Amino acid sequence: MMSRGGAKVVASLLKSARPRLFSTATTSTIRSMSHETSHLLKPAAADLAGVNTWIWSGAGGVRFASTASLGEKTPSQDENPKKTEDESSTGGNKGIASYWGVEPNKITKEDGTEWKWNCFRPWETYKADLTIDLSKHHVPTTFLDRLAYWTVKSLRWPTDLFFQRRYGCRAMMLETVAAVPGMVGGMLLHFKSLRRFEQSGGWIKALLEEAENERMHLMTFMEVAKPKWYERALVITVQGVFFNAYFLGYLISPKFAHRMVGYLEEEAIHSYTEFLKELDKGNIDNVPAPAIAIDYWRLPADATLRDVVMVVRADEAHHRDVNHFASDIHYQGRELKEAPAPVGYH
């Protein structure tokens, strides 16, 4: 900052230079002013019309410049600056500009309020069918059936040992595994359709729907049970091993792969039933349902964790039926495309 004496010099210079700012200066005047202002190559302390002003000397005499162009308003002059187009259209959050013209659609609920989820849309929501029979069980009859059944049973033992009664974390781990088969099966059927130039009978979409539904289960339980670092590490390990094992299993025998998933879903039904028992006993707090679950399953606004577990268990029962059905098709020597796929079966 300049001293009081420096400010007086600046004011004196302005007074003397004002008549000459837009006229031709004489050589003697230029030399005199250059000599007086050669030490003033610094910001002026005086606020000249609200603009930070610089004064310097040179071959053209005394000149004035500022960090703001003429006629430009400074923030102090306009207390409420006009919002940009992006800010006004996104409620204050600056939108993502794109050369390609891909604009996000503004989606609203049935009541007219704004839809806040990007991971799913209103037309993908549904009400779970809670009347489905939970007690159905496929009795293993063939060697592959028994192999699939005991493979799943052998996976349950370390899971029980690790999670014990921590059903929130158990559900989170279960969903990271349950979301793999549908994606693998849908991907392999997709490639098969491309190789053979044929339709899949809707089974690609049905299996990918299953994978997406299981992933939404995970997104829901992430709001309830916060995984610890070692649980995240376990998820990475289990997912890597299970993905590759199931991929090879599906290539070798799709009927074995689907049967194993059918039994895996039966175990999921059992786990969620135990989860409900712990909630009813009061061993687990029946907290309010996460907002994402309320919108996805169209639950009432006052829904609780128990309501969420109920609809998730119903989803697992539907996945059980779909995969046992797919395995039965293969056991009959047919291909999946020969039977209409249960698309949208919830």
Side-chain angles (χ1 to χ4, degrees):
M1 295 179 64
M2 295 184 60
S3 64
R4 185 176 299 178
K8 290 181 178 180
V9 172
V10 172
S12 177
L13 286 173
L14 286 174
K15 184 177 180 180
S16 61
R18 189 177 294 112
R20 299 182 178 88
L21 284 176
F22 300 98
S23 62
T24 305
T26 61
T27 304
S28 59
T29 304
I30 292 174
R31 288 178 180 176
S32 174
M33 294 178 68
S34 299
H35 175 72
E36 292 177 3
T37 61
S38 59
H39 65 289
L40 296 177
L41 187 55
K42 58 180 69 176
D47 187 5
L48 304 177
V51 179
N52 291 331
T53 306
W54 290 75
I55 306 175
W56 71 89
S57 62
V62 177
R63 303 203 180 171
F64 300 89
S66 72
T67 57
S69 60
L70 293 176
E72 181 181 350
K73 290 184 178 181
T74 60
S76 61
Q77 292 174 296
D78 193 350
E79 296 297 334
N80 298 309
K82 185 179 180 181
K83 288 185 177 181
T84 63
E85 183 178 352
D86 288 336
E87 290 176 334
S88 60
S89 63
T90 57
N93 296 324
K94 188 175 181 181
I96 299 176
S98 173
Y99 166 78
W100 307 106
V102 180
E103 298 293 339
N105 295 326
K106 187 175 181 180
I107 303 173
T108 58
K109 295 183 181 180
E110 295 176 355
D111 59 3
T113 58
E114 186 176 357
W115 183 259
K116 62 181 179 180
W117 307 107
N118 291 327
C119 52
F120 65 99
R121 295 293 188 254
W123 52 85
E124 297 172 329
T125 64
Y126 63 96
K127 287 188 176 182
D129 177 18
L130 300 179
T131 63
I132 189 170
D133 187 356
L134 301 173
S135 62
K136 282 185 179 179
H137 168 65
H138 180 274
V139 179
T141 55
T142 67
F143 169 75
L144 286 180
D145 282 356
R146 295 187 184 93
L147 179 62
Y149 179 79
W150 288 110
T151 299
V152 173
K153 286 294 184 182
S154 65
L155 293 174
R156 180 180 172 180
W157 179 80
T159 305
D160 290 342
L161 183 64
F162 184 81
F163 291 105
Q164 297 181 1
R165 297 287 180 180
R166 294 160 51 226
Y167 285 100
C169 295
R170 184 192 186 102
M172 178 196 64
M173 172 61 72
L174 178 64
E175 299 303 341
T176 62
V177 173
V180 172
M183 181 60 66
V184 172
M187 176 186 68
L188 291 176
L189 287 180
H190 174 74
F191 290 149
K192 182 179 179 180
S193 176
L194 297 178
R195 289 194 309 270
R196 296 188 176 183
F197 306 96
E198 63 185 18
Q199 297 291 339
S200 68
W203 279 94
I204 295 174
K205 186 174 183 179
L207 293 178
L208 292 182
E209 275 186 352
E210 177 186 315
E212 174 65 11
N213 182 248
E214 298 285 10
R215 191 184 66 83
M216 289 303 299
H217 293 175
L218 175 62
M219 296 299 102
T220 298
F221 284 112
M222 284 288 292
E223 299 293 324
V224 177
K226 302 299 182 183
K228 299 179 175 62
W229 69 267
Y230 57 85
E231 291 172 335
R232 290 179 179 271
L234 182 62
V235 167
I236 295 173
T237 304
V238 171
Q239 188 182 80
V241 173
F242 184 74
F243 172 84
N244 289 285
Y246 189 80
F247 180 83
L248 292 175
Y250 201 100
L251 285 176
I252 296 170
S253 176
K255 59 186 175 184
F256 163 77
H258 282 293
R259 186 70 77 203
M260 190 183 77
V261 176
Y263 288 130
L264 185 66
E265 299 295 355
E266 289 183 16
E267 289 298 325
I269 294 170
H270 173 76
S271 294
Y272 284 117
T273 300
E274 294 298 314
F275 197 164
L276 287 171
K277 289 179 181 179
E278 293 298 311
L279 283 167
D280 293 339
K281 291 178 183 178
N283 296 331
I284 300 176
D285 293 335
N286 191 23
V287 297
I292 190 172
I294 292 175
D295 284 340
Y296 184 68
W297 283 286
R298 300 179 187 174
L299 297 173
D302 59 348
T304 62
L305 177 58
R306 191 181 192 283
D307 298 317
V308 174
V309 176
M310 289 282 289
V311 295
V312 170
R313 184 177 63 170
D315 285 348
E316 305 296 4
H318 286 85
H319 300 328
R320 171 204 63 192
D321 295 349
V322 170
N323 281 277
H324 280 315
F325 174 54
S327 183
D328 289 345
I329 294 172
H330 285 293
Y331 266 106
Q332 295 171 20
R334 313 286 288 275
E335 292 191 17
L336 292 181
K337 66 177 182 177
E338 298 180 48
V343 177
Y345 178 64
H346 295 297

